[in-house]
């Protein structure tokens, strides 16, 4: 079968081999036990992590391997299911990304919360220690598969990035039980796929939503923000520009989602955040950038105004399930916007020549042509239902 792999990494890198991105022929995986499921991949979304792996070749293959199949945002259909998996052929599924570490003292991993792993020895498919999903098939333990409603076929590939937003929102709800909190305004920093999903989530929650981004005001991402009732503001230059704008607009930021990974903006958001507010950091900052900050002022405001900062990445099964519910809610409230977000559709053969700078908003690799998806999705299972609080 075909797979997109980064080769020449891991042990090969130590010998001086050059890393490169390839469309490779690999053996099709088979079921290894009664709980395993063989999934035929329909499509895989690409994000900033994939971009860095593809361009910087920093992915970590499994122990003893020299290549890594990339891709962690998956949508597929069950092709074969082990007798004790609980799945049936034809069911639509996505897969969790992180697997628990093996350290017996890691209480989080031992209790199914590997997204809070304390040792850092976790495995992430397509990123660290295990092959990902950008191939024609993959095999997965049923514990790490999530059913996707057939109604979400067109946008179910967004379940993984949406799960990150849902994890943050759940954390915020727990944190804000410390007081009577009635948020009115949310600010989203960045208008990439994660930022747009955060903005759509805030609109579903009934929050006045401002998106602050360097993207031009006439760009497709800005149009999506306005289409869901949000306010798009092209980011201004200068220290304190975000806070100054909010003050001029008469808005208090009760909740800020930082989705750019640009660390100076994260520190600026700490002062722009309103009293009792929460700053959620979702963007991972690359490199070793440093800057001079008003540390005393930031410290004073965090303490005296009861501000809270929380970081989040990766997510659990509950977050995936909530995310799938939320995606359906978005589609009902703002028909077609999720489809408009996925601006670039690629084939496996086109991935190795991908120019990231030319992507409109989000790139998705269609492993199976979309017109053939309905042929493969023929589930006999009952309607998908989840249990969670939104």
């Amino acid at each position: 079968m075909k797979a997109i792999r980064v080769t020449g990494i891991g042990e090969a890198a130590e010998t001086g081999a050059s890393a490169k991105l390839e469309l490779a022929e690999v053996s099709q995986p088979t079921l290894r036990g009664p709980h395993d499921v063989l999934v035929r991949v329909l499509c895989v979304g690409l994000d900033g992590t994939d971009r860095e792996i593809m361009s910087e070749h920093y992915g970590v293959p499994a122990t003893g391997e020299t290549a890594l199949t990339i891709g962690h945002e998956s949508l597929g259909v069950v092709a074969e299911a082990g007798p004790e998996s609980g799945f049936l052929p034809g069911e639509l599924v996505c897969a969790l990304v992180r697997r628990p570490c093996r350290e017996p003292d890691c209480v989080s991993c031992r209790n199914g919360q590997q997204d809070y792993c304390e040792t850092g020895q976790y495995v992430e498919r397509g990123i660290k220690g295990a092959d990902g999903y950008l191939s024609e098939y993959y095999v997965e333990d049923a514990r790490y598969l999530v059913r996707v409603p057939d109604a979400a076929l067109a946008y179910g590939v967004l379940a993984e990035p949406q799960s990150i937003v849902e994890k943050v929102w759940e954390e915020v709800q727990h944190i804000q039980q410390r007081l009577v909190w009635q948020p009115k305004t949310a600010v989203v920093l960045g208008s990439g796929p994660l930022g747009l999903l955060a903005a759509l989530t805030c609109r579903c929650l009934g929050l006045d939503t401002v998106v602050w981004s360097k993207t031009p005001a006439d760009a497709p991402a800005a149009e999506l923000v306005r289409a869901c009732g949000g306010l798009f503001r092209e980011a201004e230059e200068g220290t304190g520009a975000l806070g100054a704008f909010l003050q001029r607009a008469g808005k208090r930021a009760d909740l800020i989602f930082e989705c750019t990974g640009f660390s100076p903006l994260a520190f600026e958001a700490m002062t722009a955040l309103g009293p009792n507010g929460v700053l959620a950091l979702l963007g991972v900052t690359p490199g070793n950038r440093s800057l001079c900050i008003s540390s005393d002022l930031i410290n004073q405001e965090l303490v005296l105004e009861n501000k809270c900062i929380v970081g989040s990445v990766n997510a659990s099964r509950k977050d995936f399930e909530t995310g799938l519910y939320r995606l359906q809610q978005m589609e009902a409230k703002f028909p077609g916007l999720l489809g408009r977000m996925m601006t670039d559709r690629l084939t496996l053969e086109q991935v190795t020549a991908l120019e990231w700078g030319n992507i409109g908003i989000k790139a998705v690799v269609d492993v199976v042509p979309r017109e053939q998806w309905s042929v493969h999705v023929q589930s006999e299972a009952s309607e998908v239902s989840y249990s969670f609080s939104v």
Side-chain angles (χ1 to χ4, degrees), residues 1 40 53 97 100-101 103 106 161 200 206 232 254 258 296 315 322 324 349 371:
M1 69 171 186
R40 183 186 182 100
I53 292 175
V97 179
C101 72
E103 295 296 325
C106 182
L200 285 166
F232 182 89
D254 300 304
E258 203 301 300
D296 283 348
T322 310
L324 286 164
E349 289 74 16
E371 59 270 18

Side-chain angles (χ1 to χ4, degrees), residues 30 35 48 54 57 97 111 116 119 191 215 218 222 224 226 235-236 248 264 350 386 388:
T30 57
H35 297 94
M54 292 166 66
H57 308 126
V97 179
N111 286 277
Y116 289 101
T119 69
S191 60
T215 299
D218 59 352
L224 288 180
R226 290 188 286 267
E236 302 168 15
R248 291 195 308 271
Q350 293 173 317
Y386 303 124
F388 51 80

Side-chain angles (χ1 to χ4, degrees), residues 231-260:
L231 171 63
F232 182 89
R233 180 73 180 191
E234 191 170 349
E236 302 168 15
E237 297 293 337
T239 304
L242 173 61
F245 163 72
L246 292 172
Q247 187 174 29
R248 291 195 308 271
K251 296 180 182 294
R252 187 181 77 174
D254 300 304
L255 173 63
I256 298 180
F257 286 94
E258 203 301 300
C259 302
T260 69

Side-chain angles (χ1 to χ4, degrees), residues 142-279:
R143 291 177 296 171
Y144 304 118
L145 291 178
V146 180
R147 286 185 175 86
V148 176
D150 290 355
L153 175 62
Y155 49 83
V157 70
L158 298 173
E160 194 277 336
Q162 181 60 30
S163 73
I164 298 173
V165 179
E166 296 299 341
K167 177 180 177 180
V168 166
W169 176 239
E170 182 181 34
E171 290 176 337
V172 168
Q173 291 180 90
H174 283 294
I175 292 167
Q176 295 303 75
Q177 290 179 15
R178 60 186 176 152
L179 76 161
V180 177
W181 192 51
Q182 297 178 321
K184 294 181 175 61
T185 301
V187 177
V188 178
L189 307 181
S191 60
L194 193 58
L196 290 174
L197 289 172
L200 285 166
T201 299
C202 291
R203 293 299 300 133
C204 286
L205 294 169
L207 297 174
D208 178 19
T209 304
V210 178
V211 175
W212 177 268
S213 171
K214 285 189 174 182
T215 299
D218 59 352
E223 294 174 3
L224 288 180
V225 172
R226 290 188 286 267
C228 72
L231 171 63
F232 182 89
R233 180 73 180 191
E234 191 170 349
E236 302 168 15
E237 297 293 337
T239 304
L242 173 61
F245 163 72
L246 292 172
Q247 187 174 29
R248 291 195 308 271
K251 296 180 182 294
R252 187 181 77 174
D254 300 304
L255 173 63
I256 298 180
F257 286 94
E258 203 301 300
C259 302
T260 69
F262 183 59
S263 57
L265 189 55
F267 282 95
E268 184 175 344
M270 295 178 192
T271 58
L273 186 66
N276 301 326
V278 180
L279 167 60

